[in-house]
Amino acid sequence: MFKVKFADIGEGLTEGKVAEVLVKLGQEIKEGDALFFVETDKVNSEIPAPVGGKIANILISQGQEIKVGDVVIEIDDGKGVAEVTPVAEIKTKNEPVEENASVVGSTPVSNDVIASRATASTKNEISNSGVKATPLARKVAADKKIDLSTIKGTGPHGRILVSDLDSTPVVSSNSATKPAASKTVEIDAPLSWDSIPMNGIRKATVKAMVKSHSENAAFTGMKNINITPTYEMRAMLKDGCESKGIKLTYLAFIVKAAAKVLEEMPNINVRIDTENNAILQVHNINIGIAVDTEKGLMVPVIKGANHLTIFEIANKIGELAKKARDGKLAMTEMKDATFTVSNFGSVGLDYATPIINSPESAILGVGTMTKTPVFVKDEIKAGWIMPFSMTCDHRIIDGGDAGRFLMKVENYLSNPALLLM
């Protein structure tokens, strides 16, 4: 009997919510088949079966909150005697289970069945029949009076998840009776506001930022870098890359430069072990890239960036950024970063004080590139300047090391041919 546990599939992840159970009792499955769909603070994902066999026990139901380490499903993999024993209904801790949603040990009810059994809606009610959504999302939508046809689902095949509803304002039950807003503005009116629930990504951001500020002794160093040679090389390579389907961005050059400098300065690619009073120099160079999405900031990770070419990095940036914005990142694509690059220049900022993504110890921020006069061998020429901001944990990284890091990055961006070697 193989006991499937909810594994630690993301840094800092401790729990998730079962959006849908995808198997039934007694079902024959193969290794890799999807068992259930889980929503977490970081991403939403199908959880695959680690072994093949017959589903012998289902210990979860739609809407249930599960923690890392919980046994969720038992599979008879032929390596022991197993009895198929239905488990009693497990009630959700925080969320109500939809009336027609399956209980553990029962056959799951499809969305079509749920829709066809729904009671006829009145004139003032919203009908969500015919829309792909998990049973729990359908229940929450009914409670909030949300029209699911207006929601873009981020689950498999466009299915709507509970997390897709998090930022949708609740419709008050007496909203239909409220009078139309007066055209006269009352200057001395009492404070009023709309309450917008935080989505999972925002909740995770709050937790991570508070942790970073409370644990790190952060400082930020800033430097303007003349990247004119990189500008010229990108212009020379851009058309050829596009013909091969590669979108060559400046960020690809910056990530490659950072990866090479981290190889040369392993004292930046570190974590702190406070329990043992030790500094951990990480062997891997995995660079996270902060991506601004409609639901909040997400940080997918380019694994082994030091072993990739600029063109491979450019492809990876495009692929991961699209997945982040579409809500389709796998949990493995968001873990194990050792250093982060944040391009806040894409939203118009020149300088900022980026916050360290714990347990990393440094983050490199990139500002808006500006065309400006620069000196080249005592002559003034038009050039391109890009501002960099580097935040480090001063407990284990000194200001001198941060300065040397930025100078080395400058050397590579001033001589980009070195990045192609």
Side-chain angles (χ1 to χ4, degrees):
M1 181 76 70
F2 190 95
K3 295 184 177 182
V4 180
K5 293 183 178 181
F6 182 42
D8 184 359
I9 41 183
E11 289 192 23
L13 176 68
T14 59
E15 61 187 11
K17 182 176 291 183
V18 179
E20 187 174 4
V21 179
L22 303 173
V23 293
K24 60 183 178 180
L25 204 62
Q27 180 180 335
E28 292 284 350
I29 60 165
K30 298 177 182 178
E31 181 180 345
D33 285 353
L35 295 176
F36 63 100
F37 198 79
V38 66
E39 300 177 7
T40 74
D41 285 348
K42 297 195 174 209
V43 287
N44 309 314
S45 182
E46 288 181 346
I47 303 301
V51 296
K54 181 183 289 186
I55 301 298
N57 231 344
I58 301 175
L59 304 169
I60 52 175
S61 62
Q62 279 94 345
Q64 181 183 347
E65 290 192 0
I66 53 178
K67 297 186 180 299
V68 169
D70 286 352
V71 176
V72 290
I73 288 175
E74 294 181 351
I75 301 173
D76 181 0
D77 57 356
K79 296 183 179 179
V81 180
E83 295 181 3
V84 178
T85 308
V87 181
E89 178 179 356
I90 300 177
K91 294 183 179 179
T92 322
K93 294 180 181 178
N94 296 322
E95 296 284 353
V97 178
E98 192 171 354
E99 183 179 352
N100 286 326
S102 67
V103 296
V104 178
S106 305
T107 303
V109 181
S110 73
N111 289 324
D112 292 337
V113 173
I114 291 172
S116 64
R117 291 184 181 178
T119 56
S121 60
T122 65
K123 292 181 180 179
N124 293 329
E125 290 179 335
I126 299 170
S127 173
N128 284 321
S129 61
V131 181
K132 285 185 179 180
T134 63
L136 184 60
R138 195 177 295 280
K139 172 62 179 173
V140 172
D143 291 343
K144 288 186 173 184
K145 299 190 185 330
I146 295 172
D147 184 355
L148 289 180
S149 65
T150 65
I151 305 297
K152 181 181 179 182
T154 59
H157 310 296
R159 181 164 294 180
I160 296 171
L161 313 174
V162 171
S163 59
D164 297 325
L165 310 178
D166 286 344
S167 59
T168 306
V170 179
V171 179
S172 173
S173 59
N174 63 353
S175 60
T177 62
K178 289 184 179 179
S182 172
K183 294 182 180 179
T184 304
V185 178
E186 188 179 346
I187 302 298
D188 197 25
L191 291 177
S192 63
W193 52 80
D194 293 326
S195 179
I196 302 173
M198 290 186 185
N199 60 30
I201 294 172
R202 180 58 57 193
K203 290 176 186 175
T205 301
V206 169
K207 189 186 301 182
M209 295 301 97
V210 171
K211 175 181 171 65
S212 181
H213 262 303
S214 63
E215 292 184 358
N216 296 323
F219 75 94
T220 303
M222 301 178 182
K223 182 175 179 61
N224 287 333
I225 293 179
N226 181 356
I227 67 158
T228 305
T230 295
Y231 174 87
E232 293 170 345
M233 175 163 283
R234 176 181 175 271
M236 181 177 64
L237 298 173
K238 184 180 175 183
D239 290 343
C241 286
E242 286 183 354
S243 68
K244 296 180 180 180
I246 300 172
K247 185 178 180 181
L248 186 61
T249 63
Y250 296 107
L251 185 58
F253 285 89
I254 293 164
V255 169
K256 181 62 179 178
K260 289 185 75 71
V261 178
L262 288 171
E263 281 186 313
E264 300 166 12
M265 297 185 67
N267 54 318
I268 301 293
N269 199 45
V270 292
R271 300 182 177 191
I272 190 168
D273 181 358
T274 53
E275 291 185 4
N276 298 301
N277 291 319
I279 297 173
L280 308 178
Q281 285 194 352
V282 188
H283 299 148
N284 315 68
I285 296 179
N286 301 335
I287 297 184
I289 51 170
V291 179
D292 183 31
T293 74
E294 289 181 359
K295 290 190 173 183
L297 193 67
M298 302 187 75
V299 187
V301 182
I302 300 174
K303 306 286 179 68
N306 54 319
H307 300 302
L308 303 178
T309 66
I310 286 180
F311 312 109
E312 290 170 329
I313 289 172
N315 260 340
K316 204 68 180 174
I317 290 172
E319 173 192 331
L320 292 173
K322 185 177 187 306
K323 282 187 177 182
R325 296 188 178 104
D326 292 344
K328 295 181 179 179
L329 279 171
M331 295 180 183
T332 53
E333 293 172 318
M334 293 187 66
K335 63 182 298 186
D336 294 336
T338 63
F339 184 87
T340 295
V341 175
S342 179
N343 179 19
F344 42 74
S346 63
V347 293
L349 295 177
D350 293 332
Y351 297 97
T353 53
I355 298 177
I356 298 166
N357 189 17
S358 296
E360 302 160 38
S361 295
I363 179 172
L364 182 65
V366 183
T368 304
M369 184 173 68
T370 306
K371 189 174 185 179
T372 185
V374 296
F375 277 99
V376 179
K377 295 181 179 179
D378 294 331
E379 293 183 9
I380 297 178
K381 295 184 177 181
W384 293 92
I385 296 295
M386 183 175 283
F388 286 77
S389 305
M390 184 172 177
T391 300
C392 302
D393 185 349
H394 214 330
R395 293 177 300 172
I396 53 176
I397 297 177
D398 295 331
D401 288 327
R404 282 183 281 275
F405 183 94
L406 288 174
M407 288 175 66
K408 285 178 175 287
V409 168
E410 179 180 32
N411 181 57
Y412 279 116
L413 296 179
S414 298
N415 301 277
L418 297 174
L419 298 175
L420 300 177
M421 297 172 63

